[in-house]
Amino acid sequence: MAQTDNKKFFENLSGAGKAIAVLTSGGDAQGMNAAVRAVVRMGIYVGAKVYFVHEGYQGMVDGGDNIKEAKWESVSSMLQMGGTVIGSARCNDFRMHEGRLKAAHNLVQRGITNLCVIGGDGSLTGANLFRKEWSGLLAELVQQGLIDEEASQKYSALHIVGMVGSIDNDFCGTDMTIGTDSALHRIIEVVDAIMTTAQSYFGLDWLKNMIGMVFALNGEMMLPTVKQDAVFYLSVCASDWVLIPEMPPEDGWEEKMCQKLSATRSRGSRLNIIIVAEGATDRHGKAITSSIVKDLVVQRLGFDTRVTILGHVQRGGTPSAFDRILASRMGVEAVLALLETTANTPACVVSLCGNQSVQLPLMECVQMTQQVQKAMDEKRFEEAVRLRGRSFENNLKTYKLLAHRKPESELPNSNFNVAVLNVGAPAAGMNAAVRSAVRVGISEGHKMFAVSDGFEGFYKGQIKEIKWADVGGWTGQGGSLLGTKRTLPAKHIDKIAEQMRKYNINALLVIGGFEALECLLQLYEARSSYEEFCIPLCMLPATISNNVPGTNLSIGADTALNAIVETCDRIKQSASGTKHRVFIIETMGGYCGYLASVGGLAAGADAAYIFEEPFDIRELQSNVEHLTETIHPCFYVNENSNENYTTDFIYQLYSEEGKGVFDCRKNVLGHMQQGGAPSPFDRNFGTKIAAKAMQWISKKLNESYRKGRVFANTEDSACLLGMRQRAMVFQPVVQLRDETDFVHRIPKEQWWLKLRPLMKILAKYKTSYDISDSGQLEHVVLNHPKESEAMAAI
C-alpha cells in the first residue's frame, strides 16, 4: 500500500520503550480473547512490551505471576475460544485505596504506564479512578520507600483505553459491545430449537396441547441488569409480548397480554412466545418474573406453558464472526490510541458507531450509562429509552411496528398496491426483510403483493396478495421463500408492464444483490417508454458477496461469514495432533474479495488472495517462507482472485514447496456459504432496513400521488437503501453507476479493503496500515438527524 499525502500511517507511531498491560474484568464475554490477541500482537508489532494481567484487577493487586509478559505465540489459537483465557474476577480489593496502591506498585515495577481494560462500565470506571489517583499513589510509594523519585518521574502518567466487553450491550456510546452478537447467537439457537418442538403439538384438544413459551433472558440467578438482548430478539422474531426494564407495561397489562395471546391462538398459531428480561418491573416498581408470567397464563387461559431460563448459556460458546472482527478492530484501535496519548489525554473507550470505529471520552459514556439507570429509577422511561442509544431505540420501534397488528378499522386506507420480490442468488435474511416489508406496508394501509421467482415470475404473472399472517415465522428461515431468479427485466419489459397494469402496482421493493441493482437501472431507463415504471422503486442489498455499491453491508453477508468461520474452526481442529499442516480455503464472492478478506480476519488466516489486490508468484513464495512461523496456517482464496493463480495452482505450489516441512490440504466451501438459518445480525438488519424502506415508499407514494394516480420519474424516486459508515442513506441508483465496475460486478471503492492490513499485521507480516480515521476523540452525542440514523452493526 503506497503512502500518500492525504493518508496517515501508523509506521510514524512507535511503541519502543512503552509497556502495555491488558486485562479483562467483570463478567466474561465471547470475543474478549480476540481483543486480547489483537492488543498483544499489535503492541508487539509496534515495538512495545505487552503484559497479561491475569484475573483482572485482582491479579493487578496481587502481582507476582499474575502479571506476565506476553509473547506473539502466547495468543496463538486464542481467537476462536469463548470466555477469557487470562481470567476475569470482580475485585473488592481494588475498590479500596490500599488495593490500588498495591496495583500501582506492581505496574511501576514492570514499567507499565499503559492499560487496556476490557470490561463493563464498572471496570472502566475503576480504571479511570486509578488514572486520576496515579500521581498521588506514586507519591505515597516514594514516601514509603517502595520506589525512588526517578521512577516516580519516569512513570508519572498512566494512560487508559477501554473496550466494552459485555453481553448486555448496555453501555452508552457504542452501538455494539464485544460479546453481544455471540450472546444473541445463543439466544436465537435456543429459541429456534424450542420453537420446532413446540410447534409439533397440535392435537384434537388443541387449546390444551398448544404451548406457551416464556423465555427469561439472563435468568433470575444473575444480578438484575438492563437487557438489550431482549429488545434485539423482539425486533427479529414473532414474540407475542415483551417485558423489559425500560418499558414497564401499563396498568392492566395482564388482561391485555392474555387477550393478545388468545387472539394469536384464534388465528391458528401453535405457539406463543413471551420474553421476560431480568430486571423487568411494572409501572410501580413491582418485579415481573418469568414464573409470575407463567402462572398468569396458566390460571387465566389454561395454556400449557413452559419457562426456559437461558442464563449463562448466553455467555458460553465460541465467539461469532462479528465479535471476532469487532474485537480485533477494537484491539488494534486501542493500541493506536495508547501510542498517541499524552499526559493530558483523557481516558477513552474505543466504540462502534454504525460501521466505523470511534474514540469517546470514557467518563462521558459512563455518566450517560448511569443516567439511564437514574431515569428508570425516577420512572422517566421514555427518556431512559432515548438515553440508551440509537440502536436500542430503533430496535424497540421496529418491534412495536411489527409485533402488534392493528384492527382493520384502525388502518389507514391508502389505496396503494406495493409489490415485493427477490432477485439474484438467495441470501439468509431475505425472508426477514420480506416479512418486515409486508407487515409495515399493511400497517401503512397498503395492499401488499408478493412476486414469486423474481422478474421471471413477474412477467409470467406469478403475483398474489400477501397478508399479515402469511409471513408469520419467516424471520428465522434461510434462503428465499418467495423464490428468486437472476432474470433481468429488459427482455420481458412489455410483459412486466402489462402485469403492472393488471395488478395496478404503485410501488416496487426489490430485495437482492448486484442483479437487483441492474434490474432497478433497467426499470429506470424504461420509464421513458412505459409510465408503469414511473413509480417509487426501492432496492435493498441482499447478497453474501457484499458486492453492491452504495452500501457497506448487505443482508446475508454476516451469515456467510459465520459459516466460513465455523468451518475454518473445524478444519483447524482436525489438524490438532498432526504434523505441520497448511490449509487452502476457497470462498465464494465472484470478483469481490469481501468473504475471503473479512472471513480471513475473523478466522485468523495468514493471507487472503483476492482480485482487488493483484498478487504474483513472488508474494506466493514469500508466504511459503513465512509458514514456518505459524501453527496450522490458513490461506483464503477468493474464487475469481486470479485467472492463472487459481486455488488448485496455489494448492499444488504449496504442496510442492512444502515437501518435508509441511503438508497441504484444500477445501472449497461452495454453496454452504449460502445456506443455513440467518444470523442475528442478518435478521435484525433485514428487518430494520425493510421497515425503513417501506416508510420511504409510503412517503414517496403520498408525494407523487396527483389527479388520481401515482407518477414519479425523478432520480430520487428510484433508490438503493444502504449503510454508509454511520448512516442509512437512500441513494438514487443512477448516481451509483459511476461508483460501479459493471464488468467485474463490484464497487470501485470498498471500505473493507482497509481491514486487510489488520489480517497481515496479526499474522506477523510487515505492512502499512492507514490510520487516517483513527485517533479522533469525539464526544457522546444523543440527538442524531432522523435521516442519518446509523444502524448498529448488528
Side-chain angles (χ1 to χ4, degrees):
M1 186 183 296
Q3 183 167 342
T4 57
D5 293 338
N6 61 341
K7 290 186 177 180
K8 179 182 176 185
F9 291 82
F10 82 89
E11 286 90 335
N12 301 323
L13 303 175
S14 173
K18 293 192 175 185
I20 300 171
V22 57
L23 70 145
T24 54
S25 178
D28 67 301
Q30 308 96 320
M32 279 184 167
N33 289 324
V36 170
R37 171 181 178 266
V39 170
V40 168
R41 292 197 166 177
M42 189 63 177
I44 293 173
Y45 192 90
V46 298
K49 277 189 175 182
V50 184
Y51 291 84
F52 291 135
V53 179
H54 292 273
E55 312 308 330
Y57 287 119
Q58 191 65 57
M60 192 187 298
V61 172
D62 295 342
D65 288 340
N66 288 305
I67 306 176
K68 290 183 178 179
E69 186 174 354
K71 303 298 183 184
W72 191 275
E73 297 74 22
S74 303
V75 292
S76 296
S77 303
M78 182 188 283
L79 188 62
Q80 66 271 25
M81 298 176 67
T84 165
V85 298
I86 61 174
S88 180
R90 302 185 190 277
C91 178
N92 289 325
D93 290 341
F94 194 75
R95 296 174 184 269
M96 311 299 292
H97 181 79
E98 302 273 332
R100 294 193 292 276
L101 188 65
K102 290 181 182 179
H105 184 217
N106 289 326
L107 293 184
V108 171
Q109 283 183 315
R110 295 163 178 81
I112 299 170
T113 57
N114 297 279
L115 274 186
C116 182
V117 181
I118 308 168
D121 60 329
S123 302
L124 299 179
T125 302
N128 190 64
L129 175 62
F130 191 39
R131 174 182 169 275
K132 285 184 176 180
E133 292 182 345
W134 183 255
S135 58
L137 293 172
L138 294 193
E140 284 189 57
L141 293 173
V142 171
Q143 189 177 10
Q144 294 176 16
L146 295 174
I147 63 172
D148 56 29
E149 189 65 41
E150 183 182 351
S152 176
Q153 293 297 322
K154 184 177 181 181
Y155 307 119
S156 60
L158 179 67
H159 308 293
I160 303 285
V161 172
M163 286 183 280
V164 190
S166 169
I167 68 169
D168 292 343
N169 204 29
D170 59 353
F171 191 81
C172 293
T174 185
D175 286 342
M176 285 291 280
T177 59
I178 296 168
T180 301
D181 188 69
S182 299
L184 291 169
H185 273 262
R186 302 295 93 79
I187 295 170
I188 293 291
E189 288 163 7
V190 172
V191 175
D192 284 354
I194 289 176
M195 285 180 70
T196 57
T197 185
Q199 292 182 359
S200 301
Y201 294 89
F202 194 81
L204 293 175
D205 193 2
W206 67 275
L207 263 182
K208 290 182 180 178
N209 284 330
M210 301 277 253
I211 294 180
M213 297 304 302
V214 181
F215 291 100
L217 300 187
N218 249 19
E220 288 80 6
M221 75 287 287
M222 295 187 182
L223 293 174
T225 178
V226 180
K227 288 296 298 176
Q228 285 217 45
D229 291 357
V231 179
F232 171 88
Y233 179 73
L234 286 162
S235 73
V236 299
C237 79
S239 300
D240 296 282
W241 205 261
V242 54
L243 295 159
I244 61 172
E246 294 93 339
M247 191 177 69
E250 301 286 348
D251 292 343
W253 66 271
E254 299 93 338
E255 184 62 31
K256 291 178 182 178
M257 182 185 74
C258 290
Q259 289 176 357
K260 173 74 188 302
L261 301 183
S262 295
T264 304
R265 293 294 177 90
S266 67
R267 291 195 291 269
S269 173
R270 293 170 179 255
L271 174 68
N272 290 125
I273 295 178
I274 303 168
I275 302 290
V276 183
E278 58 177 347
T281 66
D282 63 16
R283 290 273 165 175
H284 307 288
K286 181 180 177 182
I288 302 175
T289 65
S290 53
S291 57
I292 290 174
V293 175
K294 174 193 172 181
D295 293 342
L296 177 67
V297 174
V298 171
Q299 291 169 10
R300 296 204 182 186
L301 299 176
F303 292 170
D304 183 10
T305 304
R306 314 290 170 84
V307 174
T308 297
I309 298 178
L310 301 186
H312 283 79
V313 166
Q314 296 161 87
R315 290 195 189 278
T318 59
S320 65
F322 181 93
D323 273 329
R324 299 185 198 196
I325 296 163
L326 174 65
S328 297
R329 291 177 67 182
M330 298 300 100
V332 169
E333 287 287 333
V335 172
L336 294 175
L338 287 172
L339 293 181
E340 293 196 306
T341 54
T342 66
N344 298 321
T345 304
C348 74
V349 61
V350 181
S351 300
L352 183 75
C353 183
N355 194 38
Q356 191 170 11
S357 58
V358 297
Q359 295 176 27
L360 298 171
L362 189 153
M363 289 314 296
E364 284 187 20
C365 298
V366 170
Q367 289 163 7
M368 190 69 69
T369 303
Q370 293 170 346
Q371 286 180 36
V372 175
Q373 189 59 53
K374 182 180 179 183
M376 292 170 58
D377 292 341
E378 296 174 357
K379 295 183 172 53
R380 293 180 284 113
F381 299 112
E382 289 184 4
E383 185 177 349
V385 169
R386 183 179 64 86
L387 290 170
R388 179 58 66 196
R390 179 176 48 244
S391 174
F392 183 91
E393 192 171 11
N394 287 344
N395 282 330
L396 192 55
K397 286 179 180 178
T398 304
Y399 163 68
K400 289 179 178 179
L401 197 61
L402 299 177
H404 301 294
R405 182 182 182 182
K406 295 179 182 178
E408 295 287 339
S409 58
E410 295 182 19
L411 292 176
N413 185 12
S414 72
N415 293 320
F416 294 130
N417 296 341
V418 181
V420 58
L421 70 158
N422 295 332
V423 173
M430 276 183 164
N431 296 321
V434 172
R435 168 185 174 266
S436 177
V438 168
R439 292 195 168 180
V440 173
I442 291 172
S443 297
E444 298 274 324
H446 309 319
K447 184 180 286 188
M448 299 299 297
F449 287 85
V451 182
S452 300
D453 297 333
F455 281 101
E456 184 172 316
F458 209 131
Y459 84 81
K460 291 179 179 178
Q462 295 172 203
I463 305 168
K464 65 176 183 180
E465 186 177 356
I466 188 166
K467 302 283 190 178
W468 184 282
D470 294 337
V471 292
W474 280 35
T475 305
Q477 298 196 48
S480 168
L481 294 175
L482 287 184
T484 181
K485 295 286 181 70
R486 297 180 185 271
T487 306
L488 300 181
K491 291 183 179 180
H492 312 284
I493 202 73
D494 288 336
K495 293 181 180 178
I496 293 172
E498 182 182 335
Q499 296 296 334
M500 297 279 284
R501 289 192 298 273
K502 179 179 178 181
Y503 290 92
N504 189 29
I505 301 300
N506 304 120
L508 200 58
L509 178 64
V510 182
I511 304 169
F514 199 89
E515 293 89 353
L517 175 65
E518 293 178 305
C519 289
L520 234 65
L521 285 169
Q522 290 182 3
L523 295 180
Y524 179 82
E525 294 297 332
R527 282 177 168 178
S528 58
S529 303
Y530 299 89
E531 286 193 0
E532 289 81 3
F533 303 118
C534 293
I535 59 173
L537 305 170
C538 188
M539 174 196 163
L540 301 182
T543 168
I544 69 167
S545 302
N546 198 31
N547 63 331
V548 178
T551 186
N552 292 161
L553 298 170
S554 300
I555 299 167
D558 183 73
T559 304
L561 285 176
N562 278 285
I564 291 169
V565 166
E566 289 167 12
T567 305
C568 189
D569 287 350
R570 295 186 182 188
I571 289 172
K572 283 185 175 181
Q573 191 178 50
S574 72
S576 60
T578 67
K579 61 182 180 178
H580 199 44
R581 179 167 289 170
V582 176
F583 294 100
I584 309 297
I585 299 173
E586 182 181 288
T587 64
M588 297 176 74
Y591 287 95
C592 181
Y594 175 81
L595 291 180
S597 298
V598 182
L601 177 61
D606 275 54
Y609 302 118
I610 63 172
F611 169 79
E612 290 90 344
E613 289 189 1
F615 57 96
D616 55 24
I617 195 67
R618 288 183 294 274
E619 182 173 344
L620 294 174
Q621 182 63 36
S622 172
N623 290 339
V624 170
E625 294 168 357
H626 188 266
L627 291 176
T628 56
E629 302 181 34
T630 313
I631 301 173
H632 305 314
C634 288
F635 291 86
Y636 281 58
V637 184
N638 174 239
E639 59 184 347
N640 289 336
S641 58
N642 190 286
E643 184 179 359
N644 297 308
Y645 301 136
T646 62
T647 304
D648 286 334
F649 176 89
I650 295 172
Y651 164 67
Q652 291 168 8
L653 174 69
Y654 280 32
S655 297
E656 180 65 28
E657 294 293 324
K659 283 182 178 178
V661 181
F662 57 82
D663 63 353
C664 194
R665 295 289 186 272
K666 178 182 68 172
N667 294 269
V668 179
L669 302 186
H671 283 79
M672 64 164 291
Q673 296 160 86
Q674 281 187 333
S679 68
F681 178 92
D682 281 327
R683 298 184 193 204
N684 182 269
F685 188 46
T687 297
K688 290 201 289 191
I689 199 172
K692 194 173 185 72
M694 284 306 304
Q695 291 171 334
W696 177 86
I697 284 175
S698 295
K699 179 183 175 184
K700 289 295 180 183
L701 283 170
N702 290 324
E703 289 176 353
S704 58
Y705 186 71
R706 297 289 184 273
K707 298 180 180 179
R709 69 174 187 140
V710 173
F711 186 83
N713 66 346
T714 56
E715 286 187 0
D716 65 354
S717 63
C719 286
L720 176 147
L721 174 57
M723 177 195 281
R724 292 264 190 164
Q725 294 185 330
R726 306 187 190 187
M728 294 299 302
V729 183
F730 288 95
Q731 302 147 95
V733 291
V734 176
Q735 296 178 13
L736 294 176
R737 279 177 173 161
D738 294 338
E739 301 180 21
T740 308
D741 176 355
F742 284 96
V743 175
H744 299 103
R745 297 161 62 85
I746 56 175
K748 292 179 180 177
E749 292 187 8
Q750 302 187 81
W751 69 273
W752 52 265
L753 288 171
K754 286 188 175 182
L755 299 182
R756 282 180 57 79
L758 294 188
M759 178 176 59
K760 294 181 179 180
I761 289 168
L762 299 178
K764 214 173 183 177
Y765 287 93
K766 288 294 180 184
T767 187
S768 294
Y769 179 41
D770 179 10
I771 59 170
S772 303
D773 297 329
S774 301
Q776 303 298 319
L777 190 65
E778 302 183 13
H779 294 277
V780 179
V781 179
L782 272 181
N783 299 318
H784 298 264
K786 289 186 177 180
E787 290 304 318
S788 62
E789 284 181 341
M791 290 280 288
I794 174 167

